[in-house]
Amino acid sequence: MPTMTLNSDLTYAIEAKHFRRLAADLSHLNEHRQPPSLLRLAPTIEAWSTTLVPQAALIGSISDVAILEPLFALSLNDGWARLASGWANLGSHVNELAGAEGDGGNHR
């Protein structure tokens, strides 16, 4: 079973129940073109960026704790992501914090 480190020393295992919840969330996105209202309760990821490890993933921090999670859906315009653990709001992109000119449109 694949595992990833999530929020400090905890190990997050992707189990069947997580995939069932993910499938329901993706179906909701396809039908309604927006995430459910649960997003307002989701954490905000700061200093985030996308990466491949080997699948699409999002790296960043929540309350100064580094995270790296599989990424299943992303809306740069609306500022949200659907990660393996659930919904997340997108705060500042890492390039915005570094004062970079941009990264070819890969952030909002």
Side-chain angles (χ1 to χ4, degrees), residues 33-35 39 75-80 89-90 108:
R33 299 290 183 225
Q34 63 184 16
L39 183 60
S75 175
L76 298 176
N77 291 336
D78 297 321
W80 55 260
N89 294 292
L90 298 176
R108 56 185 180 112

Side-chain angles (χ1 to χ4, degrees), residues 51-73:
T51 188
L52 295 173
V53 289
Q55 75 281 352
L58 191 130
I59 188 169
S61 66
I62 299 174
S63 300
D64 295 327
V65 176
I67 65 154
L68 172 63
E69 281 200 49
L71 175 64
F72 293 98

Side-chain angles (χ1 to χ4, degrees), residues 21-40 73-82 87-89:
R21 193 172 76 212
L22 171 63
D25 286 347
L26 294 177
S27 290
H28 179 89
L29 279 176
N30 284 332
E31 292 173 23
H32 303 284
R33 299 290 183 225
Q34 63 184 16
S37 60
L38 292 174
L39 183 60
R40 62 185 163 76
L74 176 73
S75 175
L76 298 176
N77 291 336
D78 297 321
W80 55 260
R82 179 48 168 93
W87 295 101
N89 294 292

Side-chain angles (χ1 to χ4, degrees), residues 2 4 7 12 17 35-37 41 61 65 78 84 91 93 98 108:
M4 297 201 91
N7 295 342
Y12 179 80
K17 65 182 176 182
S37 60
L41 303 174
S61 66
V65 176
D78 297 321
H93 187 274
R108 56 185 180 112

